[in-house]
Amino acid sequence: MKFLFDLLPVILFFVAFKMADIYVATAVAIIATIAQIGWLGLKYRKVEPMQWASLGLIVVFGGLTIGLQDKTFIQWKPTILYWLFAVGLWASVTFWNKNLIQVAMGKQIRFKPEADQQLWPQLNVAWSLFFLFMGLLNLYVAYQFDEATWVNFKLFGGMGLLFAFVVAQGFWLNKFIDHEEA
């Protein structure tokens, strides 16, 4: 359910685009994201930094899209968010010696002791490269295809690639998981 809740603004953007146009869809995404962050703040009294970043990006880039009637700004928003993720993962290890992938997943996944120290850095690099790739791919689709194709890619392509990446990673990591500890 959390995954669907996190996707709600993107789903509403997609539906609004199909019913109207990219400018209405952008306004819907802005409103949905503000409502989503407001609800999280009220319910949990905590909003993650990347959720704040996403809110800031949709308000700024969405506002520019609507105000200037230029879809380029909203098309760049996913790329900037992906690249913020990539840089955040890289910088956290490089400057603060903190592996955010390990922080996020370390309580759910226990690797065999002999693999633990080498896998977390590899996972961090893999996720960083994935987000870098996704940002580039978003720009490629935005500039090489029509608006409707980009909107479809934003929902189905982006989520499909994320799902495929997670599944492939799960198959690869399974041989390193300490099943007795789990």
Side-chain angles (χ1 to χ4, degrees):
M1 281 310 274
K2 182 186 180 316
F3 180 71
L4 287 176
F5 180 74
D6 290 343
L7 274 181
L8 186 62
V10 176
I11 293 168
L12 293 175
F13 174 88
F14 177 80
V15 171
F17 176 80
K18 296 299 181 185
M19 294 174 62
D21 63 20
I22 197 149
Y23 304 108
V24 170
T26 300
V28 166
I30 292 169
I31 293 165
T33 305
I34 290 170
Q36 182 182 51
I37 297 298
W39 186 82
L40 287 171
L42 289 172
K43 179 164 178 147
Y44 299 108
R45 300 277 187 237
K46 184 176 184 214
V47 177
E48 298 297 323
M50 288 314 272
Q51 291 170 318
W52 284 116
S54 183
L55 174 65
L57 287 172
I58 190 69
V59 168
V60 170
F61 284 81
L64 287 169
T65 295
I66 294 167
L68 299 175
Q69 293 291 290
D70 185 350
K71 68 182 178 185
T72 305
F73 294 103
I74 198 66
Q75 289 177 321
W76 266 87
K77 184 256 179 197
T79 291
I80 292 171
L81 189 60
Y82 288 137
W83 288 351
L84 278 174
F85 286 155
V87 168
L89 292 172
W90 171 80
S92 69
V93 168
T94 304
F95 298 113
W96 298 285
N97 202 25
K98 188 170 192 170
N99 186 321
L100 295 180
I101 295 298
Q102 186 175 8
V103 169
M105 297 169 46
K107 290 181 179 152
Q108 291 85 19
I109 299 174
R110 296 278 184 232
F111 294 124
K112 295 174 184 173
E114 64 274 10
D116 192 63
Q117 292 305 311
Q118 73 185 80
L119 281 178
W120 289 116
Q122 289 175 2
L123 280 174
N124 198 69
V125 168
W127 278 97
S128 294
L129 291 174
F130 174 75
F131 286 128
L132 178 66
F133 166 76
M134 288 299 291
L136 291 169
L137 185 59
N138 178 69
L139 290 178
Y140 176 77
V141 173
Y143 285 103
Q144 297 300 317
F145 296 93
D146 65 7
E147 188 176 282
T149 301
W150 176 78
V151 170
N152 288 331
F153 171 76
K154 184 173 166 38
L155 178 60
F156 300 111
M159 290 305 110
L161 288 170
L162 176 63
F163 180 75
F165 181 72
V166 169
V167 168
Q169 195 173 73
F171 281 119
W172 175 64
L173 291 175
N174 188 48
K175 62 185 168 196
F176 301 108
I177 292 177
D178 189 348
H179 294 287
E180 291 179 21
E181 180 73 25

